[in-house]
Amino acid sequence: MTRTLSLAQARRVAIAAQGLDRPRPQAVTMRHLTGTLERLGLLQIDSVNVLARAHLLPLLARLGPYDTALVDRASGRAPRRMVEAWAHEASYLPVETYPLVAGTRRRWAGMDPAVLEERHPGLLALVRDVVAERGPLTGREVEALVDARYTERGEGWGWRWSAAKTALETLFDAGELTAARRNAQFERVYDLTERVLPPHVRDRPLPAPEDAVRELVRISARAHGVGTLRCLADYFRLGQRVTRLAVDELVDAGELLPVTVAGWDRPAWVHAAARVPRRTPARALLAPFDPLVFERRRLLELFGMHYRIGIYTPAHLRTHGYYVLPFLLGEHLVARVDLKHDRDTARLLVRSAFLEQPRAGDAATWPAPAVVVAELAAELATMARWLGAHAVVVDDAAAGDLARPLGAELDRVRLTDADAYH
């Protein structure tokens, strides 16, 4: 018989699968970081740094304040625990996952090796040889080492890349080069993939495509706890047809179980090892690129939040702000705040704060507004300490019905008292 989950149960399954209901460690170690990455499966990378780099924030949500040097060490020094690849967009993956995404890399027009070779004969080999001889190198350093005719901006694809940069990205997508690390300017520092991967991964034969897809769906299912075909495919940007084949195999193996989720009008599956907590003590600010909010339809159906990333929306069309983070409290997304780290003044700025409203059936477990305000202020204080900010300040012109009460709470409880909330 197909199991049935209430919407509340499905929410708690999803939160637990993401590790958001677990107590945060007192002192975060490399073991905590790698364990979290393995649970999530990936960390999406984005260059926007209005608050903090995108891949750092999901770790904060689950681990609390931690030393970001752990991430630099895990991704930039041997033996690497995580490596950059194209997965759910550009992402950090556990090194063991890297061979699985060989078939899911970008295939963008203008980055076809055959087209590039026809347009610039010998360039791919030249760039590969430069990196092999001189690497690790940034894109700018590679451009300085090749013929000037390959470095003119405007002839490349997409982001007005030069031909040399396009060659680098083509080799990156082909798996011949990868990022040895990111530098202080967040530029990729390219090296031969064989010199970046640890030997036990480098020397392993690539899996058959169907085996790779099955393993990626297995990772996706574990990270979701419960999800639909669309959810399971989207996590690693897989096609739905191959995802469905993998789902059927995992069902036959007993790793996925068909489930009916109240209010969902399409099939869903729950991971056989998923926990269904009776309650969840979760409290976290979720970045726009947090894995819990990847799939927007799932977010709406599970939590009732219609969410779009403001950074991709023209200013006059933004409804909640530029870099807006949903606030998870218990099993609900109860608020959303637009945040900025003002590094010049060492302040965490709240540029808007909006209270969410419970849907029918959620009122019994929905926290009171005063509780939301107090817990949000505490979580903002935790984030500020991690950022090195000395104060959390609500802008005078901040929009949203939560802005004024949040400002009053922050005035009442100064950042120096934040440890009482940790």
Side-chain angles (χ1 to χ4, degrees):
M1 295 179 62
T2 299
R3 184 179 181 182
T4 299
L5 291 178
S6 69
L7 202 55
Q9 287 175 318
R11 277 197 300 268
R12 296 194 294 271
V13 167
I15 292 167
Q18 285 282 307
L20 285 159
D21 66 335
R22 295 169 179 258
R24 292 169 175 172
Q26 292 297 314
V28 179
T29 66
M30 183 65 77
R31 182 177 60 83
H32 294 116
L33 186 147
T34 54
T36 301
L37 177 61
E38 288 168 4
R39 180 179 299 112
L40 300 181
L42 54 80
L43 296 169
Q44 186 175 340
I45 298 170
D46 188 82
S47 61
V48 174
N49 198 26
V50 65
L51 182 61
R53 298 295 184 192
H55 62 284
L56 301 176
L57 289 166
L59 295 171
L60 174 67
R62 291 154 180 83
L63 298 175
Y66 69 98
D67 185 354
T68 59
L70 288 172
V71 177
D72 297 334
R73 193 168 88 221
S75 61
R77 284 166 46 188
R80 287 174 178 79
R81 280 85 163 181
M82 53 198 282
V83 67
E84 186 173 340
W86 199 259
H88 185 96
E89 310 297 332
S91 305
Y92 281 120
L93 307 171
V95 287
E96 288 79 6
T97 305
Y98 184 86
L100 302 176
V101 299
T104 67
R105 299 187 180 108
R106 290 176 294 183
R107 295 293 184 265
W108 291 350
M111 291 178 65
D112 184 323
V115 172
L116 189 60
E117 181 66 22
E118 180 180 354
R119 187 175 300 168
H120 300 289
L123 178 58
L124 284 169
L126 172 62
V127 169
R128 187 189 302 109
D129 290 345
V130 166
V131 174
E133 180 181 354
R134 303 285 192 93
L137 298 169
T138 67
R140 288 181 297 168
E141 289 169 333
V142 170
E143 288 177 334
L145 293 169
V146 301
D147 193 302
R149 71 178 184 274
Y150 298 134
T151 63
E152 297 175 0
R153 301 287 167 181
E155 66 172 280
W157 176 87
W159 302 94
R160 300 185 67 82
W161 287 340
S162 68
K165 173 65 173 175
T166 305
L168 275 170
E169 289 296 309
T170 300
L171 292 167
F172 177 84
D173 289 341
E176 296 186 49
L177 303 181
T178 192
R181 63 182 181 275
R182 291 269 183 157
N183 66 13
Q185 292 72 44
F186 206 59
E187 298 172 296
R188 281 195 189 114
V189 182
Y190 298 87
D191 204 355
L192 298 178
T193 300
E194 65 197 57
R195 294 200 297 231
V196 173
L197 295 179
H200 75 279
V201 176
R202 180 192 64 212
D203 299 337
R204 185 186 306 160
L206 283 178
E210 62 273 18
D211 294 335
V213 169
R214 186 188 315 108
E215 186 59 33
L216 291 173
V217 174
R218 179 180 283 121
I219 295 168
S220 173
R222 186 176 65 241
H224 278 88
V226 60
T228 65
L229 185 65
R230 174 171 166 167
C231 302
L232 299 177
D234 178 71
Y235 212 69
F236 286 99
R237 301 295 202 227
L238 301 171
Q240 292 201 12
R241 185 184 65 81
V242 295
T243 299
R244 183 58 199 249
L245 291 174
V247 166
D248 290 343
E249 292 175 356
L250 293 173
V251 169
D252 290 342
E255 296 183 49
L256 288 182
L257 307 173
V259 66
T260 297
V261 177
W264 289 13
D265 61 356
R266 58 204 191 283
W269 294 267
V270 65
H271 194 277
R275 292 186 293 120
V276 189
R278 290 180 177 274
R279 59 179 298 276
T280 171
R283 190 187 80 186
L285 285 160
L286 304 176
F289 302 102
D290 192 282
L292 188 66
V293 306
F294 276 169
E295 217 291 291
R296 302 295 192 249
R297 179 174 178 180
R298 181 174 188 258
L299 191 69
L300 178 62
E301 292 181 339
L302 273 180
F303 295 98
M305 178 175 280
H306 183 273
Y307 181 67
R308 295 293 182 270
I309 300 179
I311 60 177
Y312 301 135
T313 306
H316 69 283
L317 296 177
R318 292 177 198 140
T319 56
H320 296 92
Y322 180 75
Y323 203 79
V324 178
L325 285 75
F327 179 48
L328 174 67
L329 188 61
E331 67 181 65
H332 301 292
L333 296 178
V334 297
R336 59 181 107 193
V337 287
D338 182 18
L339 300 179
K340 177 182 179 181
H341 181 200
D342 188 334
R343 295 167 177 84
D344 292 336
T345 62
R347 298 183 302 168
L348 176 58
L349 301 180
V350 180
R351 301 192 290 187
S352 75
F354 293 85
L355 191 66
E356 297 293 302
Q357 297 301 318
R359 294 178 296 181
D362 289 342
T365 54
W366 196 274
V371 174
V372 173
V373 169
E375 295 289 346
L376 177 55
E379 192 65 15
L380 288 168
T382 297
M383 176 178 282
R385 288 202 313 279
W386 175 70
L387 291 169
H390 301 314
V392 183
V393 178
V394 177
D395 278 351
D396 291 339
D401 54 355
L402 204 55
R404 182 172 294 181
L406 181 60
E409 177 68 10
L410 290 167
D411 286 341
R412 189 180 70 82
V413 184
R414 298 302 357 155
L415 185 60
T416 53
D417 298 325
D419 284 343
Y421 291 89
H422 185 59

